Amino acid sequence: MIDFYLFIVFVLAIFVGFEIINKIPPILHTPLMSGSNAISGITIVGALLSLPYASPTLAAILGMFALILATINVVGGFMVTDRMLKMFEKKGGK
């Protein structure tokens, strides 16, 4: 029964995420991406804290997979944010 509730939460999260991305104007995508990076940072901390307690091998593999994906998301998000912020700098100096 818990799996069914988790599936409902997962489907609702997909729906809310899709609606948020579609409704937000493009000028707010950079701050939203920075917030997403912070959430991925929380995911990394949670995965690192829970990984030693994952006894089944499948849980450990899935935790490691989540850790790798969250790390890629954080690094890529900060690279894109840095690139976008450089677009707002004045030409010829800082």
Side-chain angles (χ1 to χ4, degrees):
M1 193 66 174
I2 290 176
D3 293 337
F4 179 70
Y5 291 136
L6 289 176
F7 180 73
I8 289 174
V9 169
F10 180 69
V11 170
L12 288 175
I14 289 173
F15 176 74
V16 169
F18 183 77
E19 288 296 318
I20 287 174
I21 293 298
N22 278 338
K23 303 272 192 249
I24 288 186
I27 196 164
L28 293 177
H29 280 185
T30 300
L32 182 65
M33 191 178 341
S34 297
S36 162
N37 288 339
I39 293 171
S40 290
I42 294 170
T43 304
I44 290 173
V45 170
L48 286 174
L49 291 176
S50 64
L51 198 56
Y53 301 107
S55 58
T57 306
L58 179 63
I61 290 172
L62 288 176
M64 184 58 99
F65 187 64
L67 183 64
I68 290 170
L69 289 179
T71 304
I72 290 171
N73 188 28
V74 167
V75 171
F78 279 118
M79 289 174 64
V80 170
T81 302
D82 185 53
R83 183 176 170 201
M84 291 180 79
L85 289 176
K86 285 182 180 174
M87 292 171 51
F88 293 107
E89 290 180 356
K90 292 181 180 178
K91 305 262 187 220
K94 290 188 176 184

